[in-house]
Amino acid sequence: FTFAVPPFQKPDENTHFYRTVALSEGQFFCRASKNNNKEKVISIPRKFYELPQLFHTEEMKFNSSRKFTLNLFDLNKIQSMESSEELEVNAPNCISSYFIGFIPNTIGFLLAAPIDNLLIKFYFGRVAGFLFFVLAFWYSLKIIPKPFHLILYLYGALPMVLHQVTSYSYDVVLLSMVPVVFSFLVKAYAERATSLRDFLFYHLSILLLILAKPLSVPFVFLHLLFPVSKITGDRKRFYKLNIIFFVLDIVINLFFLTR
């Protein structure tokens, strides 16, 4: 899924690639266009803007008769794209996604910064997204009781999950946090008692999941599912913390939506 699927042939990968490039240059939020205040834009070097066009991304989209050939991997053409002129690029996914979801891809992209090869930079971003998923999945297996491991393996083996976590997408963080949240919740209900550490990490995982994609806001109600009765200590305090996390998630999302 990382290497066999051609560049920019995954859902909205070209626009997500632009967001990653912008984030690598310190643009955490989109800004209003100079020509139209209602339009959200980012600024990226021309060579990165033109890279998806070199692979005929838009021409192949929804067109089953067009096939991706190895001739498109013309390294001479790719290497000749050296323009660093900054372009304003329309970013339609500014409202539907926050920069949090692009951090794993951005880390990989930045690690490849010293390498003077656009394709290698591109694949470094894909690989970094997949490694983030692998780490989250491994962490989930450490949390959840062994009888429930099979459920995680089935989730991790889903083709659509693997397709998305190996792409440039906010789904990398979203789909990586799903097994973590699930594991903490199952562990809390399966064991006789749970710890304050699990309680806090559970809520932080939900926060990350929601910040990856605003449409995940309904998951905020997961905060209220944690079995507080299994935590030793002042239970009233933990019930209050549940509500605080619930409200905090909503406030943070409102903050990001107004940026």
Side-chain angles (χ1 to χ4, degrees), residues 8 12 39 41 47 51 63 67 82 102 108-109 130 138 141 156 167 172 180 189 194 241 245 248 259:
F8 309 108
D12 301 320
E39 186 180 51
V41 297
K47 60 183 178 183
L51 188 59
N63 188 352
K67 304 299 179 185
E82 297 179 353
F102 299 104
F109 189 81
F130 179 62
W138 171 80
L141 288 172
S167 70
V172 169
V180 176
Y189 278 99
T194 189
L241 282 173
F245 275 110
L248 183 65
R259 299 298 295 175

Side-chain angles (χ1 to χ4, degrees), residues 1 4 13 26 30 57 63 83 104 130 144 158 162 169-170 174-175 182 196 198 201 206 210 221 232 247 257 259:
F1 286 101
E13 194 169 31
C30 302
T57 303
N63 188 352
S83 175
F130 179 62
I144 200 168
L158 289 173
L162 293 173
S169 176
Y170 46 71
L174 175 66
L175 295 174
F182 176 75
L196 175 60
D198 284 356
F201 275 52
I206 295 174
I210 293 173
F221 291 101
T232 54
V247 174
L257 282 170
R259 299 298 295 175

Side-chain angles (χ1 to χ4, degrees), residues 49 54 83-84 88 109-110 120 133 143 177 181 192 249:
Y49 173 73
L54 191 66
S83 175
S84 295
E88 266 195 3
F109 189 81
L110 286 172
I120 291 179
F133 174 75
I143 299 164
M177 287 300 105
V181 172
R192 291 184 179 180
D249 256 1

Side-chain angles (χ1 to χ4, degrees), residues 34 39 58 62 79 93 95 108 117 145 162 187 240:
K34 296 174 183 176
E39 186 180 51
E58 295 301 323
F62 309 119
Q79 288 305 97
N93 56 13
I95 300 301
N117 187 304
L162 293 173
K187 181 185 178 184
K240 289 177 184 177

Side-chain angles (χ1 to χ4, degrees), residues 156-217:
L158 289 173
M160 184 48 70
V161 170
L162 293 173
H163 186 66
Q164 286 302 96
V165 299
T166 53
S167 70
Y168 278 83
S169 176
Y170 46 71
D171 285 338
V172 169
V173 173
L174 175 66
L175 295 174
S176 296
M177 287 300 105
V178 167
V180 176
V181 172
F182 176 75
S183 297
F184 273 122
L185 196 58
V186 169
K187 181 185 178 184
Y189 278 99
E191 297 183 347
R192 291 184 179 180
T194 189
S195 64
L196 175 60
R197 174 183 170 277
D198 284 356
F199 174 80
L200 293 174
F201 275 52
Y202 170 76
H203 289 299
L204 290 174
S205 299
I206 295 174
L207 181 61
L208 268 179
L209 186 152
I210 293 173
L211 287 180
K213 188 175 183 180
L215 295 177
S216 305
V217 166

